[in-house]
Amino acid sequence: MSGIQYASNQSTKPFKSSEEYLYAMKEDLAEWLGDLYNIDIDVNNILGVLETGALLCAHANNVTRVADDFLKRTGPAEVQLPASGLTFVSSAHPTTFLARDNVTNFISWCRKEMSIPDVLMFETDDLVLRKNEKNFVLCLLEVARRASCFGMASPVLIQLEQEIEEEIREEMEDLPAQSKPQRSLINIQNLDEMVLYQRLNSHNVY
């Protein structure tokens, strides 16, 4: 279970509230998308920027291109690689049918091409009508985590998660066999909370 998947049903400690927890994830995604696509996006407008689905579909196509390049360089991979991109309407306006269609197509791409599990998926209204922002954010993070396996730039949260996982693996190698299961369980279950808390503290968001 990844740190992101664990976040779908974990408590928000040591965050002061679930809103603070969500804020930290949205902030990380906004900074990453802004750098990746050179757009004006931040924690306050991220949902508004993404609600037409156009950038989501463009991102899906970008991930697919990176996966194709990875396949050409390395040959068949152990991780699932997206094979098909999306056709979308870049001029769609918020809450319109075209915008909903864009978002729905992105959701289908996440399921089919990236095999995102249902626990981390969102529905169209979760974004368009803000019914479940957390599920939407968790889905984007999971797409980013999986895409990082074949060379896609990833948010800081994913980078920190990977660094911590590597440190855990290194520590496990030096532990007696009887100590390994307990040590692994403790660290992995708290992984997502650890990296988000570090991220939050670094920005002094209270």
Side-chain angles (χ1 to χ4, degrees):
M1 178 184 294
S2 71
I4 292 171
Q5 186 165 347
Y6 182 71
S8 66
N9 57 10
Q10 71 159 0
S11 71
T12 57
K13 294 180 180 180
F15 293 91
K16 295 179 180 180
S17 66
S18 58
E19 288 78 15
E20 188 179 74
Y21 181 73
L22 180 61
Y23 185 101
M25 292 190 289
K26 287 165 60 178
E27 181 181 48
D28 193 49
L29 280 172
E31 291 183 7
W32 167 64
L33 288 169
D35 291 340
L36 196 60
Y37 297 111
N38 193 29
I39 56 175
D40 183 17
I41 185 172
D42 57 37
V43 67
N44 297 311
N45 71 1
I46 181 171
L47 298 179
V49 171
L50 299 177
E51 66 181 341
T52 67
L55 183 58
L56 295 176
C57 292
H59 179 61
N61 289 341
N62 193 19
V63 171
T64 303
R65 283 192 293 269
V66 172
D68 184 60
D69 290 342
F70 179 84
L71 182 62
K72 291 176 180 177
R73 291 195 313 269
T74 66
E78 295 182 0
V79 297
Q80 178 175 341
L81 301 177
S84 299
L86 294 171
T87 299
F88 64 98
V89 179
S90 60
S91 59
H93 294 287
T95 72
T96 62
F97 171 80
L98 293 177
R100 286 178 172 274
D101 194 50
N102 283 345
V103 175
T104 299
N105 287 339
F106 176 75
I107 291 172
S108 297
W109 178 86
C110 289
R111 293 184 188 277
K112 180 180 178 181
E113 300 295 331
M114 298 297 285
S115 294
I116 305 299
D118 287 342
V119 69
L120 295 176
M121 284 303 305
F122 69 100
E123 302 298 332
T124 302
D125 283 348
D126 292 340
L127 172 59
V128 175
L129 300 181
R130 312 293 196 266
K131 286 191 173 182
N132 194 329
E133 294 181 19
K134 181 180 178 183
N135 272 25
F136 170 65
V137 168
L138 290 173
C139 181
L140 286 192
L141 284 172
E142 183 65 9
V143 169
R145 185 183 71 81
R146 295 181 179 223
S148 70
C149 295
F150 47 82
M152 190 78 186
S154 60
V156 171
L157 171 59
I158 306 301
Q159 296 173 31
L160 291 173
E161 178 185 270
Q162 292 169 341
E163 290 173 7
I164 294 173
E165 286 177 338
E166 179 60 29
E167 290 176 4
I168 291 172
R169 281 192 293 269
E170 292 175 356
E171 290 175 5
M172 291 279 288
E173 293 175 358
D174 298 328
L175 289 174
Q178 63 270 24
S179 301
K180 291 183 179 180
Q182 183 177 6
R183 183 63 176 270
S184 177
L185 179 64
I186 292 173
N187 282 280
I188 291 175
Q189 285 189 338
N190 289 284
L191 182 58
D192 191 72
E193 186 172 286
M194 288 162 57
V195 294
L196 276 174
Y197 190 53
Q198 179 176 343
R199 182 81 169 138
L200 187 66
N201 284 341
S202 69
H203 285 73
N204 294 317
V205 180
Y206 290 102

